[in-house]
Amino acid sequence: MGTLDGVKILVDPGHGGDHPGTTHDGNIEKEINLAVGHKLANELASRGGWLYMTRSDDSDFGGTTSGEDINLRVDYVNDNYYPYNYDALVSLHVNTAYAGGIGAYSLDPDAGGASDEELYQSDLLASNISAAMGGYRTYTKNLAILRDTWGSAPKVLVEMETIDSDYIYDNYWQDNMAQKIANGIDNYFN
Ligand SMILES: [Zn+2]
């Protein structure tokens, strides 16, 4: 018996393959997203969750530009996980060097397409994750992965750190981040 028994969570490690995401001094975003993504998936599974990942290795979705790749990623999610095959979608990212903005993001209400209830639940999941990460605030943003995926489940994007941080390749930091995000998801569902 786990606290997330039967809860279906789609983990989306951002970027991948030809699309590295943000980079700084040899730090490459796609690598951090994937490493924490695996750890998060393991952590959630250990609590009884059913895990899906949009990618489990260093691959992209076939787009020649990063924007095109994100649209193909959205198509992949819609083709494979629509309509109600996930109870939450969590996209993992690392923000641009020195940008700040660490915490969880839900869809900007002005983006359209989401019901008030979907916006509310996504914001609630974001609040739980930001709090569990260490008292960060939440943000809203118009992002394709949140806007164009069809599932009506709560959907958030997490900026885990900024890419200039020298500790993001440390196993300890990655384990800890995965655990904090899992705690936030856990708090939302319980
Ligand atoms: Zn990113």
Side-chain angles (χ1 to χ4, degrees):
M1 288 279 287
T3 49
L4 291 171
D5 270 346
V7 177
K8 292 170 280 185
I9 301 153
L10 178 58
V11 174
D12 173 42
H15 314 284
D18 287 343
H19 307 292
T22 192
T23 58
H24 181 81
D25 267 354
N27 292 357
I28 303 171
E29 183 190 353
K30 66 175 183 176
E31 297 178 349
I32 308 301
N33 299 342
L34 184 61
V36 178
H38 280 298
K39 290 171 184 293
L40 177 60
N42 288 338
E43 182 62 32
L44 293 169
S46 79
R47 303 181 190 202
W50 293 8
L51 267 298
Y52 309 111
M53 292 178 82
T54 53
R55 67 177 179 101
S56 56
D57 58 18
D58 182 23
S59 51
D60 55 56
F61 292 81
T64 47
T65 65
S66 62
E68 216 177 86
D69 201 68
I70 288 167
N71 290 334
L72 290 169
R73 177 185 305 255
V74 166
D75 290 346
Y76 174 83
V77 170
N78 288 338
D79 288 346
N80 290 279
Y81 300 110
Y82 180 75
Y84 300 112
N85 287 335
Y86 52 90
D87 298 312
L89 183 159
V90 179
S91 186
L92 301 177
H93 288 258
V94 178
N95 215 355
T96 315
Y98 313 115
I102 297 166
Y105 293 64
S106 60
L107 183 65
D108 184 340
D110 294 335
S115 70
D116 286 350
E117 178 65 11
E118 287 163 359
L119 292 169
Y120 173 76
Q121 293 299 333
S122 295
D123 185 56
L124 197 58
L125 177 59
S127 300
N128 276 285
I129 291 174
S130 279
M133 284 169 67
Y136 290 100
R137 57 164 290 200
T138 59
Y139 300 85
T140 59
K141 201 169 177 180
N142 188 354
L143 296 163
I145 192 73
L146 306 179
R147 184 190 63 229
D148 297 337
T149 45
W150 297 337
S152 70
K155 295 178 273 192
V156 300
L157 181 145
V158 182
E159 295 285 8
M160 302 182 286
E161 245 305 342
T162 53
I163 198 69
D164 55 284
S165 305
D166 52 11
Y167 46 76
I168 52 178
Y169 279 85
D170 293 355
N171 204 41
Y172 172 81
W173 180 84
Q174 294 178 355
D175 277 337
N176 196 246
M177 179 54 59
Q179 216 149 67
K180 286 172 171 172
I181 295 171
N183 289 343
I185 294 169
D186 214 323
N187 292 340
Y188 170 83
F189 282 104
N190 292 283

